[in-house]
């Protein structure tokens, strides 16, 4: 029995060696990810473009209001910039931007190449009415590229309705407001309107600027919101 076992062992070793040699030809495993047939690898992601920096040449204090913590906003066209408080927002609109206070109500608009009307004094329904105006406030504005511009606040009576108007206008018009009040001025970038309304009639979203009387319009000058709005308008800068 022992001699038989010794004879079988070499044969078993030879068979095992033959099997190992047969396995040595197997392909080595791949290390990279495989993509199933019919699937295209995604293109490389393009690097994000840096947001252009918006700068200002104006001091922090504008018309008595400290704007240190305000946002600097650029018009979509790049033609100008202005400041708004940290909790105010803007949204794009046809021809420019709407300026919204924290509760979401539009207070101001910025427009490039706006419709300035036909020079007729009309109410929100497009009907000619009797009118009168009263100047509420006027401040000269140093606007590089556009001379003789002022901030103007006025009260306009159209029939029985009083409307407060605020905006940037030619200085002479701001000093002696007449109807229609057109809050717009010429600049190297074209006509710009930055105001409560371009053509003041108190309609649409500008209905918030309607007041019950001239006395209410005058009382608004003491409201902190008026100082904020005046500083926003006077922060406008034209970009070269």
């Amino acid at each position: 029995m022992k001699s038989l076992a010794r004879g079988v062992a070499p044969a078993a070793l030879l068979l095992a060696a033959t099997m190992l040699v047969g396995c040595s030809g197997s392909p080595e495993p791949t290390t990279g990810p495989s993509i199933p047939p019919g699937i295209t690898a995604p293109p490389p992601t393009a690097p994000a473009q840096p947001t252009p920096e918006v700068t200002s040449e104006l001091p922090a204090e504008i018309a008595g209001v400290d704007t240190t913590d305000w946002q600097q906003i650029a018009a979509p066209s790049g033609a100008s910039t202005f400041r708004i408080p940290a909790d105010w927002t803007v949204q794009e609109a046809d021809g420019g931007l709407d300026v919204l206070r924290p509760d979401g109500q539009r207070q101001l608009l910025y427009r490039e190449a706006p419709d300035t009307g036909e020079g007729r004094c009309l109410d929100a329904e497009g009907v000619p009415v009797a009118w009168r105006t009263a100047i509420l406030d006027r401040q000269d504005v140093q606007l590089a590229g556009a001379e003789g511009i002022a901030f103007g606040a006025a009260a306009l009576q159209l029939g029985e309705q009083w409307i407060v108007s605020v905006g940037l206008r030619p200085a002479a018009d701001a000093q002696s407001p007449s109807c229609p009040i057109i809050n717009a001025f010429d600049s190297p970038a074209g006509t710009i309107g930055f105001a409560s309304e371009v053509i003041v009639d108190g309609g649409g979203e500008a209905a918030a600027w309607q007041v019950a009387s001239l006395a209410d319009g005058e009382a608004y000058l003491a409201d902190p919101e008026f100082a904020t709005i005046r500083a926003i308008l006077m922060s406008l800068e034209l970009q070269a």
Side-chain angles (χ1 to χ4, degrees):
M1 294 293 292
K2 290 182 180 178
S3 60
L4 180 61
R6 287 196 298 269
V8 173
L13 291 174
L14 177 61
L15 177 61
T18 303
M19 293 178 63
L20 288 173
V21 170
C23 294
S24 64
S26 300
E28 295 187 5
T30 58
T31 57
S34 62
I35 299 176
I39 303 299
T40 304
T45 303
Q49 295 298 318
T51 302
E53 183 179 357
V54 180
T55 60
S56 173
E57 300 295 330
L58 295 179
E61 183 174 307
I62 299 175
V65 175
D66 183 4
T67 67
T68 301
D69 298 326
W70 286 22
Q71 308 171 62
Q72 189 80 19
I73 304 297
S77 68
S80 64
T81 64
F82 58 87
R83 301 175 190 174
I84 62 173
D87 55 352
W88 288 48
T89 58
V90 297
Q91 64 182 17
E92 289 200 26
D94 187 19
L97 295 168
D98 287 341
V99 181
L100 315 178
R101 69 185 186 188
D103 64 2
Q105 178 176 292
R106 190 190 81 177
Q107 289 294 87
L108 301 171
L109 55 79
Y110 170 89
R111 297 290 187 271
E112 294 174 5
D115 179 7
T116 55
E118 301 175 354
R120 302 171 61 201
C121 189
L122 309 173
D123 64 10
E125 304 300 324
V127 178
V129 292
W131 62 271
R132 66 177 174 134
T133 62
I135 186 170
L136 299 176
D137 188 26
R138 179 192 178 282
Q139 302 283 335
D140 287 326
V141 175
Q142 302 302 317
L143 197 56
E147 301 298 327
I149 306 302
F151 163 81
L156 169 65
Q157 184 181 25
L158 293 174
E160 300 300 318
Q161 183 66 59
W162 281 95
I163 304 158
V164 172
S165 162
V166 294
L168 301 186
R169 312 175 59 203
D173 293 345
Q175 183 63 42
S176 302
S178 61
C179 191
I181 294 178
I182 306 297
N183 289 311
F185 62 91
D186 293 330
S187 78
T191 302
I192 290 178
F194 193 29
S196 53
E197 303 171 83
V198 175
I199 305 174
V200 179
D201 64 17
E205 292 180 87
W209 290 94
Q210 296 182 5
V211 292
S213 65
L214 174 59
D216 286 343
E218 293 171 335
Y220 181 59
L221 301 183
D223 191 312
E225 183 181 84
F226 173 77
T228 296
I229 286 175
R230 181 174 59 188
I232 292 173
L233 292 168
M234 294 181 66
S235 73
L236 185 71
E237 294 177 86
L238 301 179
Q239 303 300 305

